[in-house]
Amino acid sequence: MLALTITFSRKLALLCSLILCIEALQAQSLYMPRNIKQAYQKGTRSMDGKPGKHYWQNVARYNLTVTATPPNRTVRGTEEITYINNSPDTLRLLVFKLFLNSHKPGAIRQTPASQEYLTSGVHIDKYTENSTPKTWQDAGSLTTKRVALTKPLLPRDSVKLAIDWHFDVSQESNREGALDSTTFFLAYFYPRIAVYDDYNGWDRTDFTEAQEFYNDFNDYTLTVNVPKNYLVWSTGELLNASDVLQPTFVQRLQESMQTDALIHVATLDDVTAGGVTQQQDMNSWKWKAINVPDVALCISDHYVWDASSVVVDKATSRRASVQAAFLDNARDFHQMVGFGQHALDWFSNNWPGVPYPYSKTTIVQGFADMEYPMMVNDATTQDLNFSRFVAEHEIAHTWFPFYMGINETRYGFMDEGWATALEYLISQADLGNETATRNFQQFRVSFWSKDPSAEEDIPIITPANILSGAALGNNEYGKAAIGYLALKELLGDAVFRKSLHEFMERWHGKHPTPWDMFYSFSSASGQDLNWFWNNWFFSNNYIDFAIKQVSIASTKCTVSIQNIGGYVAPMDVVLTFDDGTRETFHQTPALWKTNQQQATVTLPVHKKLQTVTLEGGIFMDADPSNNTWKTK
């Protein structure tokens, strides 16, 4: 019996140990939705963070022509689309995105709309499939439209579509619309085929004007017909400058692309005199953009035009053009080309440290503070630092989402979160750490950090398309950004850079999900980071530390810290001595790897200790009242 008891006890102990190991393993694995699991099972994505051997994505070629004659607000367009089905599925329908239907009365919007914002939406005048006319049923106020195919689209086959359409530019501008009576910013202006991907099928999410976008990488040829004396700025490369500009201005534009100096391509005197463009009644500006997720454009008969360029790839000496279009009385925009040059240079060579992938960027004075491939639409301000800050944030979006093909609609934290982290890093270079930290606390962290409401603690991984208000904004911007910055501290700059570059190299031009990002960072760093991802992106955590106890010996002190909020954030432990001096001991998130609830820090002391304080910087503590210990 004794022998049997010992054997049974050993087996029981072994079983308990095995159960604990399994539970620990399960605790470190990442929750994965069923549709994402299926993509991994099909081999389109790989658990090492790489695209799977069966990865695919669909593409299209768009030949767009739009005609605008301000102050008439009706814009007319024609397009030819060649849509290529690279999926293994036979497609029996197409899904179209009609974003401008969000202007219609009755459309689903997360914010109220004024009368000046409302229009009659997109009107489809003609629709053909493989040269055969078809009836288009109006989508009403919906921004997504299903259209059955006459002939199913087989794998590796294509379909050719032609669409004529028109819409009215809204009087009140947001991400797009009339900037004034003769200046229009056109974005999301053409009917497009929605993304069909390997994990969600057709993207049928409605555009509510809160969440942003998800597009395939397409090739675009764009012709913009406008009256003489109207200038056009657009995504892509201008193919026929000599056909639409007078020789003097062609020369200035070309000169700007080879110099760091500021070139005034068209001044106020130039545009007022009316001699900048060719003088036929209508000019056709032709643009081309390859492998980009979208195109946007601006037209005006009175905006001035500055330009220069900057080397964005030192290895090849490749330059990118930086242009600005604005009202001459906008003081900050006279500095905007310089701001753009600095942003392209800094982002290309520091963080993310990947050369700017496009041939140019154009910063337009508008109202939206919004990004588009190769285009920015920013409001003018009286504060030059703030104007630069906004431009830098929008230019950072070049890498996330555009270069990386992010699904902003569902996973905006992979878009705004990265852009916001980059915004902080470049602000440190621009303004110094103290000012950058104070600004970041004010704009990105303090509101949700100090708000105990339930919506502030919703996990970042929650699909953004079902969120609104504070939960949407904070998850996408500040919370995600400091999560990435906490990861940077955990890994150290060298490993973080290696991992970030590996993720970007694997997935640029594709459609990564958060799990692809999580697994890619783990494999590239050589570390299992699931404990960190779980803590920051899958939890209801927030930042709240407390000093529980301080023990002092002759040459050291031991600080016991409780993690009340749960986030594994970095912090400084600051010791203040009787003589007024201070010593700071930085703690990275590695402090919490073995125990995320409590940690102990032992520090050297050689003077009489006065206080111990926890300071988080941008990692703001929800309740700083318990962050200081004082000697008795």
Side-chain angles (χ1 to χ4, degrees):
M1 286 291 298
L2 179 59
L4 289 173
T5 303
I6 293 173
T7 302
F8 177 76
S9 298
R10 286 175 177 171
K11 287 183 178 179
L12 182 61
L14 182 62
L15 180 61
C16 290
S17 298
L18 183 61
I19 290 171
L20 289 173
C21 288
I22 292 172
E23 288 178 346
L25 185 63
Q26 289 174 338
Q28 293 302 308
S29 65
L30 301 180
Y31 158 76
M32 188 182 289
R34 286 169 287 173
N35 61 332
I36 301 291
K37 283 182 182 178
Q38 289 172 359
Y40 282 90
Q41 291 164 357
K42 292 176 182 177
T44 54
R45 295 164 195 270
S46 174
M47 294 296 292
D48 61 4
K50 298 177 182 178
K53 62 181 180 180
H54 300 307
Y55 181 81
W56 56 266
Q57 64 191 54
N58 291 350
V59 297
R61 294 189 295 270
Y62 286 79
N63 186 356
L64 303 168
T65 300
V66 293
T67 301
T69 56
N72 184 339
R73 291 189 296 108
T74 299
V75 174
R76 296 190 178 277
T78 64
E79 65 181 340
E80 296 173 346
I81 308 171
T82 301
Y83 182 71
I84 302 167
N85 178 21
N86 290 321
S87 82
D89 306 323
T90 296
L91 303 181
R92 303 184 185 280
L93 59 86
L94 300 175
V95 175
F96 285 85
K97 292 288 187 175
L98 306 170
F99 289 115
L100 295 188
N101 276 353
S102 65
H103 287 275
K104 279 188 166 185
I108 301 171
R109 289 180 292 269
Q110 288 202 16
T111 54
S114 71
Q115 198 63 37
E116 289 72 27
Y117 190 72
L118 297 178
T119 71
S120 58
V122 181
H123 300 268
I124 304 300
D125 304 314
K126 182 180 178 182
Y127 175 70
T128 67
E129 176 189 321
N130 291 325
S131 301
T132 301
K134 294 184 64 175
T135 300
W136 178 281
Q137 299 294 330
D138 185 73
S141 59
L142 298 177
T143 57
T144 299
K145 168 72 174 174
R146 297 173 59 178
V147 177
L149 287 165
T150 302
K151 177 185 176 183
L153 181 57
L154 300 176
R156 304 296 175 181
D157 201 355
S158 64
V159 61
K160 292 188 176 182
L161 310 170
I163 303 175
D164 295 353
W165 80 98
H166 70 275
F167 65 94
D168 288 343
V169 174
S170 61
Q171 288 180 276
E172 180 187 322
S173 177
N174 187 3
R175 289 186 175 97
E176 36 70 34
L179 304 181
D180 58 47
S181 62
T182 57
T183 305
F184 296 168
F185 194 95
L186 304 184
Y188 328 116
F189 59 87
Y190 58 97
R192 72 191 69 191
I193 300 176
V195 174
Y196 183 82
D197 61 29
D198 63 309
Y199 67 89
N200 206 48
W202 285 111
D203 173 26
R204 294 174 175 153
T205 53
D206 285 314
F207 178 52
T208 68
E209 303 206 349
Q211 295 83 6
E212 293 184 325
F213 306 95
Y214 183 33
N215 296 309
D216 278 320
F217 287 89
N218 303 311
D219 295 341
Y220 292 89
T221 301
L222 170 65
T223 300
V224 183
N225 298 320
V226 290
K228 63 184 177 182
N229 300 324
Y230 274 82
L231 298 174
V232 182
W233 301 268
S234 173
T235 302
E237 300 205 31
L238 179 60
L239 301 178
N240 66 332
S242 297
D243 294 339
V244 294
L245 294 171
Q246 297 286 354
T248 296
F249 304 98
V250 174
Q251 182 179 353
R252 291 180 188 175
L253 180 60
Q254 291 175 342
E255 181 185 354
S256 74
M257 296 181 180
Q258 301 300 324
T259 181
D260 294 337
L262 178 64
I263 303 297
H264 301 297
V265 178
T267 66
L268 180 61
D269 288 343
D270 294 328
V271 297
T272 301
V276 178
T277 73
Q278 297 289 350
Q279 292 301 294
Q280 56 257 32
D281 288 342
M282 296 289 287
N283 286 316
S284 296
W285 297 63
K286 298 183 184 296
W287 305 82
K288 191 168 188 177
I290 301 299
N291 198 38
V292 295
D294 202 0
V295 291
L297 65 100
C298 178
I299 65 172
S300 179
D301 65 348
H302 58 279
Y303 268 28
V304 300
W305 187 359
D306 280 354
S308 187
S309 62
V310 62
V311 173
V312 294
D313 189 343
K314 292 180 179 178
T316 63
S317 299
R318 178 173 64 86
R319 283 183 170 270
S321 172
V322 182
Q323 304 179 31
F326 55 97
L327 291 171
D328 190 62
N329 63 5
R331 185 175 68 92
D332 56 337
F333 267 79
H334 284 276
Q335 310 297 319
M336 200 56 75
V337 166
F339 294 162
Q341 287 174 297
H342 168 63
L344 264 60
D345 174 65
W346 198 93
F347 289 136
S348 296
N349 293 292
N350 295 277
W351 299 106
V354 172
Y356 183 75
Y358 301 134
S359 62
K360 70 167 191 182
T361 188
T362 302
I363 307 166
V364 173
Q365 180 190 344
F367 302 103
D369 297 342
M370 183 66 192
E371 72 282 355
Y372 319 78
M374 304 184 220
M375 299 284 285
V376 170
N377 176 342
D378 277 355
T380 182
T381 80
Q382 297 302 309
D383 184 337
L384 288 179
N385 281 334
F386 189 75
S387 294
R388 177 180 59 189
F389 160 84
V390 176
E392 289 171 347
H393 177 94
E394 308 311 339
I395 289 172
H397 280 297
T398 298
W399 290 268
F400 300 92
F402 302 133
Y403 182 64
M404 294 301 295
I406 303 300
N407 184 342
E408 306 167 68
T409 313
R410 279 180 190 274
Y411 304 120
F413 68 87
M414 294 177 69
D415 157 44
E416 295 294 355
W418 278 112
T420 302
L422 294 172
E423 159 205 304
Y424 174 68
L425 294 171
I426 195 173
S427 291
Q428 287 181 301
D430 293 345
L431 304 172
N433 184 65
E434 183 177 343
T435 301
T437 296
R438 184 171 61 249
N439 289 348
F440 198 82
Q441 288 174 328
Q442 177 183 349
F443 293 122
R444 302 303 193 192
V445 185
S446 62
F447 180 79
W448 64 265
S449 174
K450 304 302 180 183
D451 182 2
S453 302
E455 57 264 35
E456 304 291 5
D457 297 338
I458 291 175
I460 296 172
I461 196 66
T462 307
N465 58 297
I466 64 170
L467 297 177
S468 63
L472 174 65
N474 293 325
N475 272 8
E476 290 192 341
Y477 287 81
K479 284 171 68 175
I482 61 173
Y484 298 136
L485 293 169
L487 179 65
K488 180 174 177 287
E489 294 226 11
L490 173 67
L491 296 178
D493 281 1
V495 176
F496 180 78
R497 185 184 304 275
K498 174 181 179 292
S499 304
L500 176 61
H501 285 187
E502 187 65 35
F503 167 56
M504 296 179 74
E505 177 62 27
R506 292 171 176 179
W507 283 99
H508 75 84
K510 299 181 177 66
H511 292 310
T513 69
W515 289 266
D516 301 313
M517 178 178 70
F518 298 148
Y519 297 146
S520 186
F521 266 82
S522 288
S523 67
S525 67
Q527 303 179 36
D528 184 352
L529 296 173
N530 283 357
W531 72 275
F532 178 87
W533 299 124
N534 266 319
N535 180 279
W536 266 99
F537 290 84
F538 292 82
S539 75
N540 303 97
N541 292 339
Y542 57 99
I543 301 174
D544 185 10
F545 299 132
I547 295 177
K548 300 305 292 180
Q549 184 177 353
V550 175
S551 303
I552 304 173
S554 57
T555 59
K556 65 181 180 180
C557 74
T558 300
V559 184
S560 297
I561 306 169
Q562 183 179 0
N563 188 350
I564 298 171
Y567 266 157
V568 290
M571 74 181 81
D572 288 337
V573 181
V574 181
L575 307 184
T576 304
F577 301 97
D578 265 2
D579 61 3
T581 60
R582 288 163 47 107
E583 285 190 56
T584 299
F585 298 88
H586 187 65
Q587 309 298 313
T588 77
L591 177 68
W592 304 103
K593 185 174 181 179
T594 57
N595 186 341
Q596 295 180 20
Q597 284 75 48
Q598 187 166 326
T600 301
V601 180
T602 300
L603 305 171
V605 292
H606 305 287
K607 306 175 187 179
K608 187 175 181 181
L609 189 61
Q610 183 78 25
T611 64
V612 179
T613 304
L614 306 180
E615 295 181 358
I618 60 171
F619 301 92
M620 296 180 70
D621 198 297
D623 177 16
S625 66
N626 49 19
N627 288 1
T628 299
W629 171 91
K630 295 182 179 181
T631 187
K632 296 180 181 178

